[in-house]
Amino acid sequence: MRVMNGHPVTPVLSVQRVSKHFTLHLRGGLQLPVLQDVSLDVHAGECVALVGPSGQGKSTLMKCLYGSYGVDSGRILVQGGHAAHEVLDMAQASAHEVLDLRRRELAYVSQFLRAVPRVPALDVVAERLLQADASLQAGDADDAAWQQALDSARERVAQLFTRLNLPRALWELPPATFSGGEQQRVNIARGFVQPARLLLLDEPTASLDAANRQVVVQLITEAKARGAAMVGIFHDEEVRDAVATRCIDLAPSPIESPA
Ligand SMILES: Nc1ncnc2c1ncn2[C@@H]1O[C@H](COP(=O)(O)OP(=O)(O)OP(=O)(O)O)[C@@H](O)[C@H]1O
Ligand SMILES: [Mg+2]
């Protein structure tokens, strides 16, 4: 346990003995174990990189942390309930609790964007800010308040799109026809625009050129500085070396052979 000024510090994320398997129904119910007894803590200001060979379960763990996949056993404790130090166990949480935490404190940048058809790129990202705005979500905001919030959200998104070198001509278009790298930048903007407490990054730089990879490195560095906790998968070693405070290999530790 981490101690600061003599007091224990609760990690933002604490994964405790998580195991998970997939059942392959089309293969006669074959059981495929993927995660075995995985434990890790991530504190504010840390970026932990998951490493290990392809197929090891890195993306699967990310989806468990985001609450998209259930687990067989173990706990996934995330700080960020409504009360100051309230902790939610993603392995036990209801769908409502998971969605509420995602809205306020949990962001996930996957490699591919799942954009709603016909919504312009600016609004795909601005929506993330509006969802997290407690005063709007309370339900008593009038049209003028919504319009003002939308204008200021779009302004913030425009600044981020400019940093990410997303051509201005694309901002008002739906991202469905964007190139892989353009879609990924919209996705990154959606992940970083709202200062979430826990950020999950699955190959955030996979389709980016060197200049934009550098912007993502800066965004991660800034998020660390404001105290966000991050878990990332970075196949690009240069990016990983630049941002990771620690690497964790998901492979089960080898059984020690007797001397
Ligand atoms: N929804 C699913 N149903 C069945 N099997 C799955 C499912 N998702 C992943 N798997 C299997 O679980 C294993 C781990 O997959 P996962 O995508 O987590 O690996 P990874 O470590 O992220 O690999 P990579 O580095 O290639 O992205 C693989 O063998 C994969 O085939
Ligand atoms: Mg993966």
Side-chain angles (χ1 to χ4, degrees):
M1 175 171 290
R2 180 173 288 193
V3 176
M4 197 182 273
N5 300 331
H7 298 287
V9 182
T10 313
V12 175
L13 169 70
S14 182
V15 178
Q16 300 176 358
R17 310 204 59 175
V18 162
S19 297
K20 175 172 184 61
H21 76 279
F22 288 112
T23 303
L24 307 181
H25 296 287
L26 296 177
R27 302 270 311 275
L30 188 76
Q31 306 268 306
L32 181 71
V34 180
L35 302 171
Q36 280 130 21
D37 219 10
V38 173
S39 296
L40 62 104
D41 281 355
V42 187
H43 287 85
E46 271 196 305
C47 177
V48 170
L50 302 180
V51 296
S54 177
Q56 191 81 71
K58 303 182 295 295
S59 296
T60 301
L61 177 61
M62 286 290 208
K63 289 172 190 158
C64 295
L65 303 183
Y66 194 54
S68 300
Y69 284 173
V71 300
D72 301 340
S73 57
R75 307 203 297 169
I76 298 174
L77 305 181
V78 182
Q79 255 190 35
H82 281 282
H85 290 289
E86 196 183 320
V87 164
L88 190 69
D89 182 357
M90 297 298 272
Q92 301 286 336
S94 68
H96 174 78
E97 287 171 319
V98 169
L99 290 177
D100 180 54
L101 192 76
R102 287 179 184 177
R103 223 175 357 251
R104 295 176 297 106
E105 300 288 6
L106 178 60
Y108 175 48
V109 178
S110 61
Q111 188 177 343
F112 302 104
L113 181 75
R114 272 185 301 160
V116 186
R118 293 187 293 279
V119 178
L122 263 177
D123 291 339
V124 168
V125 182
E127 186 198 29
R128 170 86 183 134
L129 284 169
L130 300 181
Q131 281 175 354
D133 187 329
S135 65
L136 294 177
Q137 299 301 328
D140 47 7
D142 59 16
D143 286 354
W146 271 97
Q147 192 57 50
Q148 198 180 9
L150 180 62
D151 291 345
S152 83
R154 286 179 131 237
E155 181 58 42
R156 273 174 68 186
V157 178
Q159 288 168 8
L160 200 45
F161 279 176
T162 304
R163 272 187 85 179
L164 286 159
N165 306 300
L166 192 74
R168 191 174 283 263
L170 299 179
W171 295 3
E172 294 289 349
L173 300 178
T177 55
F178 290 7
S179 75
E182 289 163 352
Q183 291 201 6
Q184 195 168 32
R185 278 175 281 161
V186 175
N187 221 8
I188 287 163
R190 201 175 147 88
F192 281 89
V193 72
Q194 148 76 8
R197 200 184 304 209
L198 176 61
L199 261 148
L200 309 173
L201 309 166
D202 192 344
E203 299 280 358
T205 57
S207 328
L208 300 187
D209 57 33
N212 284 314
R213 277 203 298 274
Q214 224 23 62
V215 178
V216 175
V217 167
Q218 284 166 8
L219 289 171
I220 294 173
T221 307
E222 289 165 16
K224 273 198 281 192
R226 72 163 170 81
M230 280 169 281
V231 182
I233 303 170
F234 310 100
H235 276 145
D236 183 323
E237 282 181 27
E238 215 174 295
V239 172
R240 190 197 303 157
D241 289 347
V243 299
T245 38
R246 215 151 33 98
C247 292
I248 290 190
D249 193 336
L250 291 186
S253 6
I255 297 165
E256 282 182 33
S257 49

